[in-house]
Amino acid sequence: MSNRAIAKVPAGKAYSNANAARLMKDVPSQQIGDEVFGNNVQQAIEKWLKAMIAWKGHKYPFTHDIGELLEAAEKVGLAKPVEVDADLAETLTDYAEKERYESVRRGPPMDRDALSALLDAVASWAESVGVRKG
């Protein structure tokens, strides 16, 4: 299977997670908790990063760690656009595992607008690389 065919699998899943996050963005956190919203944003970003790495012909690391995936993307020549806030993206890593089963997050409700903007920035980055759904 070609690298581009491999990349289409996580890309398709990324679009689904992103669409789920977009649909729940404005739903009050009492109805759809930050952990569910955050998990969908995290999963979309993780899968887009993996798709971009595969698209460039490399194996992506099997990790949920957004920081590690951003580093892997840079190592294969994918320059992160300034619109992709790495610090904000890295805060999502806990939503892949820990926050799904226990509450590790403290502080005010998450900034769904900022995370939606991050989601859109990563989607644009993936599309600029050539990664498309299906």
Side-chain angles (χ1 to χ4, degrees):
M1 185 181 300
S2 75
N3 293 324
R4 293 190 175 182
I6 292 168
K8 288 181 181 183
V9 174
K13 293 175 184 281
Y15 281 98
S16 291
N17 284 114
N19 287 334
R22 289 180 182 114
L23 288 169
M24 65 181 74
K25 176 185 159 281
D26 295 320
V27 176
S29 61
Q30 298 86 346
Q31 293 176 355
I32 297 179
D34 282 346
E35 73 282 357
V36 175
F37 176 76
N39 177 262
N40 277 283
V41 174
Q42 187 283 336
Q43 286 290 289
I45 291 171
E46 173 186 332
K47 291 167 187 169
W48 267 318
L49 289 167
K50 288 177 176 180
M52 286 188 280
I53 293 166
W55 191 264
K56 294 290 281 183
H58 299 272
K59 289 186 178 187
Y60 52 80
F62 288 98
T63 182
H64 297 298
D65 188 307
I66 299 295
E68 186 178 332
L69 289 166
L70 285 168
E71 287 176 16
E74 287 184 28
K75 286 180 183 174
V76 301
L78 293 163
K80 181 184 65 60
V82 295
E83 297 82 15
V84 175
D85 181 340
D87 292 333
L88 180 59
E90 288 180 36
T91 67
L92 293 167
T93 296
D94 282 343
Y95 290 92
E97 293 178 355
K98 294 178 187 174
E99 191 63 31
R100 288 171 50 195
Y101 303 104
E102 60 186 276
S103 184
V104 296
R105 190 173 177 283
R106 303 286 182 259
M110 66 175 27
D111 185 342
R112 292 185 183 200
D113 290 329
L115 288 170
S116 293
L118 174 64
L119 189 67
D120 291 341
V122 174
S124 294
W125 181 20
E127 289 177 7
S128 75
V129 170
V131 173
R132 304 276 190 276
K133 179 183 175 187

